[in-house]
Amino acid sequence: MPEVSLGVDFGSTALRAAFAPPNEQARAVVLPRELWPWPACDILRGGAPPVRFPSVKDLLGEARAEAKPLVVRALRALREGVEKESSCSVGPTAIAVPARYGSAARTELRDAAGEAGLTQVRLVSDSVAAVIGHTAGAGSGTVLVLSLGYGGYEAGLVRAVRGHFRALGYEGAAAPGGASFDTWLLDGVLKALRYAGSWGQGDSDGLSEEDWLRLREVMQRLKEGTSGRVGLPPVGGMSGQVGFDRAKLGELLLRQARGAVDRAAALVGQSGLSASDVDTVLLIGRSTAIGGFAEAAARLGGELVRGAPELLAHGALRYAQRPGGDRDDSATVEACGDSGATAGLAELPLPDAQVLDAPVRVPGIRQARRLLDDGRPMEASALLRRIIDDAQGLLAKLPGLDSRPVPGPDLVSLPDPAPMQDSRPVPVSVLQPSTEPDRAPAQALQNTATAGDWLGLAHEHLDQQRFEQAVHAAHRAWRARPEDPDVFEAMTRVHCDAAAAAAPDPALFEDARRWLVCAHAHDPSNDALRGILVQHSYAHAVELAAQGSVAEAADVLRQCQEWEPEHRQAQELLKKLTRRMGSVHGHRR
């Protein structure tokens, strides 16, 4: 039986797919609602509101017994329906998931796909799938994908060059998004009812999961409607309507949604680019329809395009059709959070495409660095000189090139950036050379700076405790030589060194955590780096709890568990804090 490729958009509110029977156009399908039920309902004691509405997609990887069977059932129904309609067996399959989708969720998703009969499965990030679908697997340009869906937001910066796609960076979190908007509105409605005296503090205790889900549907209508007035369902003694000033409600929704735009702008800056370098801003997700959101996103780059609902499925289909075995899109970011983090490169050549910027491995330099770290500078020097001699010998064999050594610029003449007033990324313009006459050498250097120059500047900033500038200079080094693994390693090390030096200062703790999250996003497979990040966050949670900031400490601990679910200290402390919040809530009641 012939095979057909399958692309799947693993969404929170819908499971969409695309397939292309032999000699036919691609077709898009949507799984029926009864086979992809959402949302679930988790009742939380002491929360405000005391409930959350995760999707099946959100529950996968959380050790929830009910999640995986639902995914298996949905994917099996999808496979059987495609095979029946195409008279082909389903072969290579690509599933689009958020870049921040955790490793536990990815593993459980792959297992569920296998149980559903999908044996050739790869995962691709939503942003890359969106750009592949938008460009139809061809074309060139830099695309900023801004997704605002039910499960959260994702900003992905992707460069496309004639069928080759490179993920330059990711940023994402569970909020803002449709689920967070719903719970935020629900909390506001319950507070309005309490202020009016029609809702008691303990009335929510008697609501069932079905009651809460009915209330969530009302919040969705309020969010997406044109009126500021909604009728309440007859649950928990409720009746009547709740009204808001629609204009003010729209402004508040936009203010929350605009946070995703601001973080996307920070991502562009952290990648060493500006809005003028972004050719297309691609909007996907239902919540991008919030009034004013598109206008806010338009400042991020060039042409503004709203993607069709089936865009990710078609992009995943093209990804599935490319050769590559079982290799996944490697730009996996397990916890971007609020970091403005940037992921490593994802090389995604499509059929009949040339691989662009193939990595160049230089193991000798890494060995020299290890020798230096071991206190053997003479051996490191000898090894580096051999590498330089070999490189000069190869250059001499290239026709039409001068084989003389190229002198490097003097790092001392690099201008210092202006002092930082806050923790935002250093603007590119800050590193432009001075126009004063006595800084002319620096201006010449700015035009010829190498990755080594930027790394040298980064270490100068570290020595002078200018940590934000150091991280930014490290990003510039990586941008100068993205194919060099040693530059990549040095860049992530600067992040860690900055965080380690800043951590003792309580005022810089959040900045230190942000740099660690960014480093982890660059190299998500680095277990040692993840361990540093988890310990740093756990220590911060302990300090917050000691200060009485129990809710903030609990939030930090939940992020710890996302990165390391088996962290027992974090689990135990979170249980204690949850009990403390519950007892305080009960006492107040």
Side-chain angles (χ1 to χ4, degrees):
M1 180 182 295
E3 284 189 340
V4 62
S5 298
L6 179 66
V8 180
D9 173 10
F10 193 67
S12 296
T13 63
L15 194 68
R16 293 182 171 87
F19 65 99
N23 304 316
E24 295 184 28
Q25 294 290 329
R27 305 177 192 174
V29 294
V30 181
L31 205 65
R33 173 68 183 269
E34 58 269 20
L35 291 175
W36 193 237
W38 73 276
C41 179
D42 284 348
I43 297 178
L44 311 172
R45 300 302 176 189
V51 68
R52 72 169 188 143
F53 303 105
S55 66
V56 175
K57 174 182 175 180
D58 298 325
L59 296 176
L60 204 62
E62 287 191 1
R64 298 281 289 267
E66 71 270 26
K68 185 178 177 182
L70 290 173
V71 177
V72 172
R73 182 186 69 170
L75 292 178
R76 180 181 292 118
L78 182 63
R79 176 185 61 80
E80 292 174 350
V82 169
E83 289 180 342
K84 181 178 180 180
E85 186 169 346
S86 65
S87 300
C88 300
S89 63
V90 173
T93 301
I95 304 178
V97 297
R100 63 185 176 88
Y101 212 41
S103 58
R106 289 169 179 260
T107 298
E108 196 163 10
L109 174 57
R110 292 177 66 91
D111 290 344
E115 291 182 23
L118 300 173
T119 59
Q120 303 177 51
V121 174
R122 287 175 286 164
L123 306 184
V124 58
S125 70
D126 285 346
S127 296
V128 172
V131 175
I132 295 175
H134 174 67
T135 61
S140 300
T142 300
V143 183
L144 177 62
V145 180
L146 186 51
S147 171
L148 194 62
Y150 181 80
Y153 84 96
E154 175 174 309
L157 194 60
V158 180
R159 182 165 290 153
V161 180
R162 296 184 299 277
H164 175 91
F165 299 88
R166 175 192 292 172
L168 301 180
Y170 289 107
E171 150 71 33
S180 64
F181 292 144
D182 290 347
T183 53
W184 171 68
L185 285 170
L186 178 58
D187 186 42
V189 167
L190 295 181
K191 285 180 179 177
L193 291 172
R194 279 198 294 269
Y195 293 153
S198 58
W199 182 258
Q201 187 71 31
D203 287 349
S204 62
D205 293 344
L207 297 186
S208 66
E209 291 185 6
E210 183 180 14
D211 293 334
W212 284 116
L213 289 171
R214 293 175 69 185
L215 283 170
R216 191 213 65 83
E217 290 180 1
V218 172
M219 299 309 108
Q220 182 176 324
R221 291 199 300 271
L222 177 62
K223 175 181 64 180
E224 298 178 351
T226 57
S227 171
R229 188 177 299 274
V230 290
L232 297 173
V235 299
M238 290 185 183
S239 62
Q241 296 182 334
V242 172
F244 291 89
D245 183 309
R246 183 65 218 184
K248 292 183 178 179
L249 180 61
E251 290 175 5
L252 291 173
L253 280 169
L254 178 59
R255 185 183 304 171
Q256 295 215 21
R258 194 180 282 127
V261 177
D262 294 339
R263 294 175 188 180
L267 171 64
V268 174
Q270 285 193 343
S271 300
L273 303 178
S274 65
S276 61
D277 298 314
V278 177
D279 300 298
T280 304
V281 178
L282 181 58
L283 302 183
I284 58 176
R286 189 167 174 176
S287 292
T288 59
I290 289 174
F293 183 82
E295 290 78 3
R299 66 179 174 85
L300 297 174
E303 181 185 14
L304 186 71
V305 177
R306 190 180 297 278
E310 63 273 10
L311 181 66
L312 267 64
H314 282 287
L317 172 61
R318 289 183 178 275
Y319 184 83
Q321 290 170 333
R322 74 178 184 91
D326 293 328
R327 186 180 64 183
D328 285 350
D329 167 9
S330 60
T332 302
V333 184
E334 293 195 1
C336 297
D338 297 332
S339 66
T342 306
L345 300 183
E347 298 295 332
L348 304 175
L350 293 176
D352 303 320
Q354 296 295 320
V355 176
L356 184 67
D357 295 336
V360 179
R361 306 294 178 185
V362 190
I365 295 178
R366 186 168 298 177
Q367 181 182 352
R369 182 175 287 112
R370 284 198 294 267
L371 290 171
L372 282 173
D373 293 340
D374 293 341
R376 299 156 66 184
M378 298 300 294
E379 296 175 58
S381 176
L383 176 58
L384 289 171
R385 291 184 184 280
R386 288 200 301 272
I387 293 173
I388 293 172
D389 291 342
D390 287 345
Q392 290 294 336
L394 289 175
L395 283 172
K397 296 179 181 180
L398 296 177
L401 294 179
D402 191 343
S403 62
R404 291 174 297 175
V406 179
D410 181 8
L411 290 180
V412 178
S413 63
L414 274 174
D416 291 336
M420 290 295 293
Q421 301 300 320
D422 54 36
S423 62
R424 291 174 297 178
V426 181
V428 176
S429 59
V430 170
L431 290 176
Q432 296 301 318
S434 170
T435 56
E436 300 173 8
D438 60 345
R439 304 302 291 275
Q443 185 171 5
L445 173 60
Q446 176 68 21
N447 297 329
T448 59
T450 66
D453 301 334
W454 287 113
L455 288 175
L457 178 61
H459 287 100
E460 287 183 19
H461 288 319
L462 285 175
D463 293 340
Q464 298 177 35
Q465 296 188 336
R466 295 196 296 259
F467 305 123
E468 190 75 57
Q469 292 94 324
V471 171
H472 181 73
H475 282 149
R476 292 298 298 267
W478 176 51
R479 182 188 174 197
R481 279 193 71 81
E483 76 282 1
D484 191 330
D486 295 294
V487 173
F488 178 81
E489 182 179 332
M491 181 264 295
T492 55
R493 187 181 295 118
V494 168
H495 286 63
C496 296
D497 291 345
D505 185 349
L508 296 177
F509 198 98
E510 282 297 332
D511 288 332
R513 176 175 166 275
R514 177 164 52 83
W515 299 324
L516 286 174
V517 171
C518 184
H520 176 255
H522 282 297
D523 192 5
S525 62
N526 190 326
D527 293 335
L529 180 57
R530 183 183 306 181
I532 295 172
L533 173 59
V534 170
Q535 286 304 114
H536 181 90
S537 298
Y538 174 73
H540 186 37
V542 171
E543 181 65 22
L544 288 171
Q547 296 173 359
S549 302
V550 177
E552 295 179 32
D555 288 340
V556 174
L557 290 169
R558 291 188 186 97
Q559 289 189 342
C560 278
Q561 289 189 314
E562 289 182 8
W563 294 317
E564 188 176 331
E566 304 302 323
H567 194 289
R568 292 187 178 181
Q569 292 174 302
Q571 291 175 346
E572 293 172 359
L573 181 56
L574 181 58
K575 289 179 181 178
K576 292 180 181 178
L577 296 181
T578 303
R579 287 196 298 268
R580 187 189 306 180
M581 288 188 291
S583 64
V584 170
H585 178 71
H587 176 70
R588 288 176 179 172
R589 239 187 316 172

